[in-house]
Every structure is written in structure tokens, then in C-alpha cells.
Amino acid sequence: MNGDAGLWCDRLVRGLGQHEFDVYALSRGRRQEDEGRLEPPPHVSRVRTAPLWTAEEDGVAYGRRARRRFAERYGELAQVLCAGPSGRAATGPDGPDAVPGLMADRFGSALYGLAELARDEGGLVGALRSDTAVRALERACRAPGAHTAVRGARVSDLLDIATHLERALRPLSLDWYGDDGLGAADLCHATAAGPAALSGLLAGHFSDVPLLVTEYGARLRAHYLAAGPEAATPAVRTLLAALHGRLAAEVYGRAAIITPGNAHTRRWQERCGADRARIRTVHPGMEAARFTEVGEAPDRADPHTLVWVGRVEPAKDLVSLLHAFAEVRKEEPKARLRVVGAPAGPEGAAYLGHCKALAAQLFPDEAEGVHAVGDNPVCFEEIGGPEAPTLADAYASGTVVVLSSVVEGFPVGLAEAMFCGRATVSTDVGAVVEVIGGTGLVVPPRNPRALAEACVALLRDPERRERLGAAARARALELFTVEQNVAAFRGIYLEIVSHCPVRRVVLDESGEPLPFAVPAEAHVPGRWTGPTAQVAGRRGPGRVPGATAGTTPVRATPLKAPEGAR
């Protein structure tokens, strides 16, 4: 796996060695698949991968009855997505919500109807790409009561929408409907409330498997941020917003427990329909050991250096940071700024080039004499270079770590700086205030002057820096370690399974049913011994249902979000 979600999922699976896992990894691009995969631990019984970015024709030919079923279900789905404000469920924190129950039921009916068709016929890929799908979208857009933004949808818009819908609904066509697939799990754990959670919805619909949803950033919010005016036409944006909003509401409504990583994500989930009683905030788990040496030696830092670490992209607002640093240099001429990070895709590479050009303009190379070589107070580098061979070395090089973002979910880099015992200056976005908890300075985003004043205040006060850094490290060790994250999910897994009835029929050696063969205490960690039993149609003799011998009998299926591939 790759990405923040992939790292968290890998640490969680490895930390819960008493459970048996099936991993379903969905990818959204070739780059993610080409970056390789991690070797799973022994208690991962299988890893199944599926791309959401490409799919071949499944070769499934529908008969007349199947085509009629598809037209009815897909047409109903299109009508729900195209419905105007008078009949549309909320698609975001501020969306209208006139008749949420009716529209949610219609969306769920259409979704599960398509899933049943995919199960019975062997897939939906061809049908979702067919003229029937496009015509159904056109009728829904032209119907009375349709949203104003979709009434004028052009043919190109309809084709674009059909393509997006096929991609989002592609998990419905995957081969996991059998008893040896999702139905064999005791628990499905989805890492986002988007298309990755569709498999969890199917497991619950067909096999009553409970669903756990974890989000460290609201998937719906990420969609809104990505779907700007330049990304698509108003009709396409409106329908995709409706799709992702209704899907998130369906996932939140069906989940047994929802675990946001911070209060910012929790607020999004609640406004999108999540029941507050079923929400448990679980902070991400991070490896603290690699920052221990730096955290225990705060005197390694250069007292005049500011450090920024992260992915280089416009949302990080390095332009404001550079302008702020120009103000810092007026007050502290010895100050230096290190920008450590790699560009995020082509857009990030272009943004990095722009920032380098701006830095060269704002800070001409400085030389001590006529014949000396100039030196720029701003340097750009990546992890692995001679000055910053590791992430810990990057944080160790400066006395203050700066975060200048205008958009953030959970600020991973900020938490890493806290593990390193560094004082921080951050913009008030996302979960920043919740993470630092008073152990750093916070300023408004897009305000270079305020950012500069906070940096100067810490550069001039070493005792304050040391005090804030020590408090930040103590807070990070208490809240953001892998150990606390794994312990929280261990308890949540057992809580969910303890409330679910035993759905398997256990047989003895002669094939007769054995009532009460799986005791309630079987869900408690430990080794259980007893008469040899056989699970009908399941996992073979001598095995507690859904368990590996000597482990907690909970077979969990984490459903990897499209942020990474396995």
C-alpha cells in the first residue's frame, strides 16, 4: 500500500496479530500499483486487488429480463441524483434536506438492486457503459423537478457522468459475493466512506456482516475540493456531488461504528447524516520510535532555522510562507528557511518551480565579500539528500517547524514535528488546533504578516521554544502513537463482534448441527481447546468459525480506500 491511508492500514493489520485478515485493496491509478506492495504478515490469509481506474469489458450479455431490471434500477438511481432541492437529501454540511428519508431509501433501493443484478448476472461493466445508461441519465435530467444545473446537460456531459458513475460503481461488479468472499468475514473495515465502502455495504446487505468505517479526512470534503469549476461543467459537478453525498450518507447510516481521526472530520460526518452515538474519535497511529533520538536531543537544532516539511502542492501555500519569511528576515537577518518535500504530481512540480523562482526573486544570493560565493537563505530539498537523509534529520535541522497550509485534514507533518520536540507555527486549518492542543502558535491562513510575527516571536525566545517543544512531544506520545491506535481498534473490533449474532452453522464429525458450539467467550483473546467441530460450508474441521487457531476468532476484512493499492 502507499499513501497515509495505506501506512495506517498496514500498521493496524500488523498490530492486530490475534485477528485473521482478508485485505481488499482498490486502486485509482497505475502509478499507485507500480509503486509496489508490502509483504503481508502471516495472519493475512489473502490479499485481493482491483483497479477502479480501468476495467475491461466483462463480456456479460444480459437477457431481456436482466436489461429491464438494469433500466429500472439505474433509472431510479439517476432520478435520485438529478432531483432538485425540493426532493434532494443533503450532499454536504450546508445542503438542503427536505425529504431525506424518502430519497435515502430510493438511493439504497437502486444501489442494492444494481448489486443484486451484478451478483446474479456476473457484472455491470457493460451495462453501465451502455446506451441504456446514457438514455436513463438524459431522461432524469429532463424530468420535472430535476436540479436546475442538470436540466441543460449536453451529450458530452451525459457521457462524462456515465463514465464517472461506472467508475464509482465498479466495486459492485467484483467477484466477492460468495460465502468465501465478503460473506465469510465477521467484520468489514472500510478506510473511507466512498467507493471503497461499497463492499462493506454489500457484505451487510447480503450477509449481515457489520461495517466499521474509519476516515482521517472526510472523503466527501476531498471530492468537493477536487471538483472545482475548472474540473467539469456545472451539470457534471452537481451529479457527482449528489452521488458522493448520498453514498457517504448511506455508508454512515449503515455503519455499526464510525471512527473519525479528528473532530474536524467528525463534524463533516455528523452533518452528512452520521449518528453521533455511533461515532468514536480515534487519532491516527504514527511510529514514534524513528523520532526518539531527535526528540530527546532538542539542542541539535540550528537556532536560526525554520523548517517546512510536506508534499509540495498549491494547498500548502508555500507562496505565503516565502512572503512571510521575507518579513522574518527584516527582523532576524540570520534566519534561514529549509523547504523539505517532493512535488505532488505534475501540478506540484509546476508549483515547486514557481516557488523556487519566487524565492530567487525575494532572496538574492548573499555573499560575505566580493570574491565569495553567494548563499541563498532559502533552500529546497527532498528527503534522501545529503542535508536531510531521513525525515527525522529534516525536523532536527530547524528550531521551529512551520505549517502554512490553506487546506488540511489531519496534519501528519505537524504531529511528526511534535514527536521531535519542536515548537511549531501553524495556520488554523483542518484539525491543526485539535492536534497541537496549545503546544504551538496558530495564525490565520493566507496571512504572511501574522505567520512572520509568530516565527519571529519563537526565534527570539529559546526558553519558550524549549517549553513548547517538550509539551508537544509529551502530547504526541500520549495521543498519536501506533500503540494507542491499535489498542483502540482492538476494543472496537471486539465491541462490534460481541453485539453480532453467530451466523454460522457448526457441525460435528457426523454432520449433525452443534447448537451453542461457539461460546460467547470465544470472542475474548486467548487459546481455546475443545472437541473438534466443523463449520458447514466454511473453513474446515478443527477451526473456530472465522478464526485462526490460538487467536481471537474475529475475521476482519479491511477495505482499502482508493488512496492506495496493495
Side-chain angles (χ1 to χ4, degrees), residues 91-365:
T91 58
D94 301 316
D97 196 1
V99 284
L102 174 62
M103 300 307 289
D105 288 345
R106 290 185 62 191
F107 178 80
S109 174
L111 182 67
Y112 299 123
L114 289 173
E116 291 167 0
L117 180 61
R119 179 195 60 182
D120 297 341
E121 301 295 332
L124 289 172
V125 175
L128 291 171
R129 295 177 175 180
S130 66
D131 292 340
T132 301
V134 178
R135 287 195 297 269
L137 284 170
E138 184 177 18
R139 286 193 298 271
C141 290
R142 309 289 188 260
H147 196 285
T148 305
V150 305
R151 291 177 186 172
R154 299 168 298 180
V155 174
S156 58
D157 294 334
L158 297 174
L159 293 174
D160 196 8
I161 294 166
T163 299
H164 282 287
L165 283 175
E166 186 274 324
R167 185 174 300 167
L169 298 178
R170 196 169 292 166
L172 300 182
S173 299
L174 299 179
D175 181 22
W176 48 26
Y177 289 97
D179 287 342
D180 62 338
L182 293 173
D186 297 296
L187 167 67
C188 284
H189 190 171
T191 61
L198 279 173
S199 38
L201 293 179
L202 301 184
H205 178 73
F206 291 111
S207 304
D208 294 326
V209 177
L211 172 63
L212 169 63
V213 179
T214 295
E215 288 186 307
Y216 290 118
R219 186 74 181 84
L220 184 59
R221 171 180 173 273
H223 167 76
Y224 288 152
L225 292 173
E230 69 285 348
T233 64
V236 175
R237 295 202 313 271
T238 299
L239 284 177
L240 292 182
L243 170 66
H244 288 282
R246 294 197 184 282
L247 180 56
E250 181 70 16
V251 172
Y252 296 148
R254 298 277 181 173
I257 290 180
I258 304 164
T259 56
N262 52 73
H264 180 257
T265 300
R266 177 175 184 145
R267 288 192 294 271
W268 268 83
Q269 293 171 338
E270 290 180 358
R271 297 300 297 272
C272 293
D275 183 0
R276 182 175 300 180
R278 291 184 284 116
I279 297 179
R280 315 272 198 280
T281 299
V282 180
H283 296 296
M286 305 172 63
E287 294 181 1
R290 57 178 174 164
F291 303 113
T292 299
E293 182 179 354
V294 176
E296 294 179 350
D299 54 341
R300 287 179 52 184
D302 183 334
H304 305 294
T305 299
L306 305 174
V307 177
W308 180 96
V309 180
R311 295 190 306 271
V312 179
E313 55 188 349
K316 303 303 182 181
D317 198 14
L318 289 176
V319 170
S320 289
L321 175 60
L322 291 172
H323 283 290
F325 186 63
E327 299 295 322
V328 172
R329 291 276 294 179
K330 294 177 182 178
E331 301 293 331
E332 293 291 327
K334 294 183 179 180
R336 303 185 65 82
L337 173 64
R338 299 185 66 185
V339 178
V340 184
E347 184 182 23
Y351 186 69
L352 177 59
H354 173 69
C355 292
K356 288 182 177 180
L358 178 62
Q361 180 181 357
L362 293 175
F363 311 101
D365 289 349

